[in-house]
Amino acid sequence: MAHQGKKLINDPNDVVTEFIEGLVETYPGLQYLDGFPGIKVVLRADVVGTKYDKVAVICGGGSGHEPAHAGFVGEGMLTAAILGDVFASPHVDAILAGIRAVTGPMGCLLIVKNYTGDRLNFGLAAEQAKSEGYKVELVIVGDDCALPPRRGIAGRRGLAGTILVQKVAGAAAAAGLSLTEVLDEAKHASEMVGTMGVALSVCTLPGQVTSDRLGPGKMELGLGIHGEPGAAVTDLQPVDLVVSHVLKQILSKETNYIPISRGNNVVLMVNGLGGTPLMELMIASGKAVLQLQLEHGLAVDRVYTGSFLTSLDMAGFSISLMKADTEILQRLDAPTKAPYWPVGVNGNRPPAKIPVPVPQSGCTRNEEVLIRPQELNEQGYVLEAAIEAGAKEIINLKDKLNEWDGKVGDGDCGSTMFRGATAILEDMKQSYPLNDAAETINEIGASVRRVMGGTSGILYSILFKAAYAKLKESAVITPRQWADALEAAVNAVSKYGGAVAGYRTMLDALIPASNTLKESLDAGQDPLTAFSFRLKL
């Protein structure tokens, strides 16, 4: 059932101009022509057309594809972007205004996605600019690989591969090349790239109802960036299968859209369509790299993952592949100030990503110590008896603790404590180094961490780890060191858990116990008596 789409906007008619206002406030290097609302042109703030000494590179089209194309305006990429209304080609006057604003003696290259409206409006603007004395060239990008080869006049649509062409052309222009040379590089790049998209939903235009063309559990292969129907609607598939289908379509030898063969080097772009979480895009990228390498025999030189050319709030992604050569990689790696180009992806990518080894523990203890000694010293016997008594008491209190916990919580405290106490008794028989009190406390923490889930398990692990760290400071462990270890453990639980006395947590028992123990020892009380006290409730 169709319903009104939810948008955080004001008047649907103002979304593009208000987007531009926010964009230039966010990025100081961008500015716009003061021709609102008819003229919507974003340009580099540092470029004055009559004085600009490099080839200007301009792209544009309907809005709704953000960050394309205004987000790619900046030194080293686009000189200006011409924006139409949502999914509507910019009109000729706006394109002309952009050309006049940034084009100097070196001329201007227009990069146009292959849609009829864009071709006609940019074409007419180019001819008008030429008649005014400007040097203007135009390259059309049609990188869509979803549909069979050309049917009629329209041909392949311009998709996210356009962004890669913009980067190549912008870098060539920034390097000081002539208009003819920049045009040649842009044409070459456009012939090396292919794209196919997959969507889980249809986009919602501002102020319009949401289409229900794609039902539950369905996905669409090869639909356009304006929501145009694609090549096929099918059941939702795992991303492995989706990526496999898309790559095979792009690399199909039957259509031969791009001249990529086994053994070639490629650039991969995984582009979110507006409503896809980055997590899903990264999953698709990882799977695509693996399949390109293992199934298609290609070397992946660069990977760009993110939202580059979207379709409002459409859920889905597109994959673009570009055949890479030294010149293309040099252009892609060239510096740029365009705010939405992923500048972190620079330099050679290794053919295989080898995971960094997990660092080993800095502890230098002898692993042989972590075996129960064949003979216990006096401290070992005392420690064993204390641990066993405490663990058995917890086991016997299982049902009572669950009952109490059920009055204020989820009723599993006794069961959780039971698991911890049982594990302690079992591990003590095998691996507790009872003659070493500090290491024994550390192993108790490891036992608890292994079997006790939830918050309580973590808190008890912190308690034992902090006590262990304190005990390790002393060569000989006296009753006073035990008291200090308990205090350090309580403080650690408070620090990381965020609770203090009076918060009705385990600390309401531990804090008085720690304080009373220290007070008793300070008063000279016999240690056995001090450790055996019971709190008066």
Side-chain angles (χ1 to χ4, degrees):
M1 177 177 172
H3 59 275
Q4 187 75 26
K6 295 180 179 179
K7 302 286 184 183
L8 292 171
I9 61 173
N10 297 307
D11 188 333
N13 296 316
D14 296 335
V15 292
V16 179
T17 54
E18 292 183 348
F19 157 73
I20 292 173
E21 290 169 346
L23 181 74
V24 300
E25 290 293 346
T26 303
Y27 300 104
L30 303 183
Q31 188 52 280
Y32 62 88
L33 293 182
D34 188 12
F36 282 7
I39 303 295
K40 293 183 276 289
V41 176
V42 175
L43 66 159
R44 286 173 50 181
D46 62 332
V47 171
V48 178
T50 57
K51 299 179 181 179
Y52 189 49
D53 61 354
K54 290 183 173 63
V55 172
V57 180
I58 298 176
C59 192
S63 296
H65 305 301
E66 291 71 35
H69 294 286
F72 298 108
V73 174
E75 182 180 349
M77 205 161 174
L78 295 181
T79 321
I82 320 299
L83 283 66
D85 291 327
V86 175
F87 292 175
S89 177
H91 56 74
V92 175
D93 289 344
I95 301 169
L96 268 173
I99 294 172
R100 293 166 181 155
V102 298
T103 303
M106 293 286 286
C108 165
L109 175 67
L110 303 178
I111 299 176
V112 181
K113 299 191 300 299
N114 191 26
Y115 293 96
T116 302
D118 287 350
R119 290 180 65 139
L120 295 177
N121 285 309
F122 275 87
L124 179 54
E127 293 304 314
Q128 176 63 34
K130 289 178 184 178
S131 72
E132 297 177 10
Y134 292 97
K135 293 192 292 185
V136 181
E137 295 290 352
L138 184 146
V139 61
I140 295 173
V141 182
D143 55 317
D144 187 7
C145 296
L147 303 176
R150 179 189 291 269
R151 295 185 298 182
I153 298 174
R156 301 164 62 188
R157 299 171 292 197
L159 302 177
T162 308
I163 307 302
L164 296 173
V165 177
Q166 291 174 5
K167 182 62 175 67
V168 170
L177 271 61
S178 68
L179 179 57
T180 300
E181 291 169 324
V182 174
L183 172 64
D184 288 344
E185 290 202 21
K187 280 185 175 180
H188 173 67
S190 70
E191 293 166 355
M192 296 295 110
V193 65
T195 301
M196 180 175 172
V198 176
L200 309 184
S201 69
V202 180
C203 56
T204 304
L205 275 68
Q208 303 296 315
V209 298
T210 299
S211 170
D212 57 357
R213 190 179 83 224
L214 280 181
K218 297 293 182 180
M219 59 188 293
E220 191 161 10
L221 304 173
L223 78 172
I225 55 174
H226 310 105
E228 309 99 314
V233 175
T234 184
D235 293 334
L236 183 62
Q237 300 291 322
V239 71
D240 277 349
L241 297 179
V242 175
V243 169
S244 177
H245 175 82
V246 172
L247 293 180
K248 288 177 181 177
Q249 183 74 7
I250 296 174
L251 296 169
S252 170
K253 292 304 179 184
E254 295 180 8
T255 53
N256 198 30
Y257 275 134
I258 46 178
I260 295 178
S261 302
R262 184 172 290 270
N264 287 162
N265 295 55
V266 297
V267 170
L268 168 68
M269 173 181 279
V270 176
N271 167 61
L273 296 178
T276 309
L278 185 59
M279 176 185 288
E280 296 177 24
L281 298 179
M282 289 297 177
I283 292 172
S285 288
K287 302 305 179 184
V289 170
L290 193 64
Q291 292 182 26
L292 287 169
Q293 292 172 334
L294 299 183
E295 297 179 21
H296 298 280
L298 300 172
V300 183
D301 285 338
R302 303 288 185 276
V303 179
Y304 304 104
T305 304
S307 293
F308 302 96
L309 194 150
T310 65
S311 186
L312 292 171
D313 56 354
M314 184 182 290
F317 63 84
S318 67
I319 292 179
S320 299
L321 288 180
M322 174 179 275
K323 185 177 181 180
D325 55 37
T326 302
E327 190 171 73
I328 282 179
L329 293 177
Q330 181 183 357
R331 299 306 185 204
L332 293 176
D333 291 344
T336 177
K337 294 183 179 179
Y340 284 91
W341 178 256
V343 293
V345 187
N346 288 331
N348 294 327
R349 181 184 176 278
K353 288 278 189 172
I354 307 300
V356 178
V358 176
Q360 297 299 309
S361 170
C363 181
T364 58
R365 68 187 184 187
N366 184 353
E367 293 297 329
E368 294 181 358
V369 175
L370 300 182
I371 299 175
R372 180 186 171 92
Q374 292 183 350
E375 294 186 11
L376 299 181
N377 58 24
E378 181 180 358
Q379 175 188 257
Y381 279 116
V382 172
L383 195 55
E384 181 183 42
I387 293 171
E388 185 173 356
K392 287 183 175 179
E393 185 70 15
I394 291 172
I395 290 172
N396 293 334
L397 285 171
K398 172 186 173 183
D399 293 336
K400 182 65 70 175
L401 290 171
N402 279 340
E403 178 186 347
W404 291 341
D405 188 37
K407 298 180 185 298
V408 295
D410 50 11
D412 68 345
C413 177
S415 299
T416 302
M417 300 286 284
F418 174 86
R419 289 197 300 273
T422 301
I424 288 170
L425 290 178
E426 293 175 352
D427 292 347
M428 184 170 65
K429 298 175 185 177
Q430 304 294 327
S431 60
Y432 284 6
L434 293 165
N435 291 340
D436 187 327
E439 293 294 348
T440 298
I441 293 299
N442 192 40
E443 291 307 303
I444 292 175
S447 300
V448 168
R449 184 169 64 250
R450 189 181 74 251
V451 301
M452 289 179 66
T455 304
S456 59
I458 291 293
L459 289 174
Y460 282 114
S461 297
I462 291 173
L463 185 142
F464 285 112
K465 183 60 72 173
Y468 163 71
K470 191 65 178 178
L471 290 172
K472 287 288 288 183
E473 295 177 359
S474 304
V476 178
I477 298 177
T478 66
R480 183 69 198 196
Q481 270 77 58
W482 280 109
D484 291 342
L486 176 58
E487 182 180 44
V490 171
N491 290 339
V493 170
S494 177
K495 174 182 177 180
Y496 296 111
V500 295
Y503 276 36
R504 303 177 70 179
T505 68
M506 60 194 296
L507 292 178
D508 284 346
L510 290 174
I511 291 174
S514 176
N515 292 340
T516 302
L517 176 59
K518 293 190 69 174
E519 291 169 1
S520 298
L521 293 175
D522 289 343
Q525 195 173 62
D526 175 65
L528 184 61
T529 303
F531 278 95
S532 303
F533 75 91
R534 290 181 179 271
L535 289 176
K536 294 183 179 180
L537 301 178

